[in-house]
Amino acid sequence: MSTLGVRACTVFPNPDLEDPDLKDLVLPNISKDTTPKAYDDLVARFPNFKVEKHNCFGFTTVHLAARMGNILLLKHIVEIEGKNLINMGTRYGLTSLLCASLCEDIAAGYLAAKELINLGADVNITTIKSISSDFPSQVTPLWVAAVKTKNLKLIKLLLFNGAILHPQNEIRVDAEKNAALKDDVTDLLTKAKDEIIEVYNRIASTELCLTKCFAIPSDVARQVRDQMLEDYIDNI
């Protein structure tokens, strides 16, 4: 059930059916350096390969490419298989955007997430199962970026695109056991939100000034506003 704009993902068909071929295809061979051509050569070795088939961890090739921050491969798979893959989840509900948010390479994870959002990734799809004791169900990419990878650039990007932390809109960190972590996460989110509010106010003031002070037509002022927003996103 959706709460405050979040949605549980739709998992790939037969999420509990593993493909033994992927033991040799996905885990050893899909990496941050795998090229589209190398991927095509790998897939060609498995005539029955379908992108929705997954390994024992529930990862498909698109999830693993996102997890590795491999943007070229990610785009290649989506171009071949279609954008419907982007918001599909693993057996735990990890979408490609959630996987990108988990990328240990902060810069690569941010760029992969940015590409996925441009392709239509839903920033508020949640996991459906708890992965571990410190990775609960119903968490969003923003939760992962704030709690797991502390990726400030990604936090700002997600917030700018309407992300919320999770259904209860609170930080799922045990306050008693992880007080320092909770403070750290709160600080990250506050910094990101403050910057975005400042940017919105500055851009809104510019639009108002163009129309009121310089008699610029409102449609032109809106174009300037939209361009300023795009420039901000491009330079986060």
Side-chain angles (χ1 to χ4, degrees):
M1 180 180 295
S2 297
T3 308
L4 293 177
V6 300
R7 290 159 289 283
C9 77
T10 301
V11 299
F12 279 98
N14 300 318
D16 295 320
L17 294 179
E18 300 171 17
D19 183 349
D21 285 346
L22 294 191
K23 177 182 178 183
D24 299 318
L25 175 63
V26 175
L27 291 180
N29 296 311
I30 302 297
S31 72
K32 64 179 182 179
D33 300 315
T34 303
T35 65
K37 183 181 184 305
Y39 172 81
D40 290 341
D41 291 343
L42 280 170
V43 170
R45 290 163 42 195
F46 300 91
N48 296 322
F49 173 78
K50 292 183 179 179
V51 73
E52 64 266 23
K53 291 184 177 181
H54 56 77
N55 63 14
C56 60
F57 299 105
F59 284 96
T60 67
T61 52
V62 70
H63 294 104
L64 203 54
R67 177 72 175 81
M68 297 290 184
N70 190 331
I71 303 169
L72 289 177
L73 181 57
L74 187 61
K75 291 173 66 175
H76 180 67
I77 296 172
V78 172
E79 286 173 1
I80 293 173
E81 304 292 346
K83 291 184 179 180
N84 62 303
L85 294 176
I86 293 173
N87 291 317
M88 297 292 282
T90 66
R91 65 177 66 181
Y92 296 104
L94 286 170
T95 62
S96 52
L97 183 55
L98 277 157
C99 289
S101 302
L102 276 168
C103 184
E104 295 174 1
D105 183 331
I106 297 298
Y110 165 78
L111 291 173
K114 186 175 181 180
E115 182 64 33
L116 286 164
I117 290 171
N118 288 338
L119 290 169
D122 189 328
V123 298
N124 285 321
I125 286 183
T126 69
T127 56
I128 57 175
K129 293 181 181 179
S130 174
I131 296 174
S132 63
S133 60
D134 62 350
F135 202 122
S137 63
Q138 290 189 300
V139 298
T140 62
L142 180 57
W143 184 91
V144 174
V147 176
K148 290 297 183 183
T149 54
K150 299 181 178 60
N151 190 335
L152 182 58
K153 287 186 68 174
L154 181 52
I155 290 170
K156 289 189 285 187
L157 179 69
L158 291 167
L159 285 172
F160 196 87
N161 283 277
I164 63 175
L165 205 57
H166 61 67
Q168 285 71 44
N169 202 27
E170 62 186 27
I171 300 171
R172 286 193 176 185
V173 178
D174 189 312
E176 184 176 339
K177 295 181 180 179
N178 301 288
L181 174 59
K182 186 170 184 178
D183 289 343
D184 193 22
V185 170
T186 301
D187 185 52
L188 280 170
L189 291 170
T190 300
K191 285 180 180 178
K193 287 179 179 178
D194 287 348
E195 179 178 319
I196 289 171
I197 290 171
E198 180 184 348
V199 169
Y200 268 123
N201 289 339
R202 185 169 69 246
I203 292 174
S205 297
T206 300
E207 181 184 8
L208 182 63
C209 182
L210 288 173
T211 56
K212 299 297 184 182
C213 301
F214 298 99
I216 300 295
S218 58
D219 59 332
V220 176
R222 281 194 297 272
Q223 290 176 11
V224 173
R225 176 201 64 193
D226 292 344
Q227 185 60 56
M228 290 178 71
L229 288 171
E230 288 181 16
D231 290 344
Y232 171 73
I233 294 173
D234 287 341
N235 292 286
I236 286 178

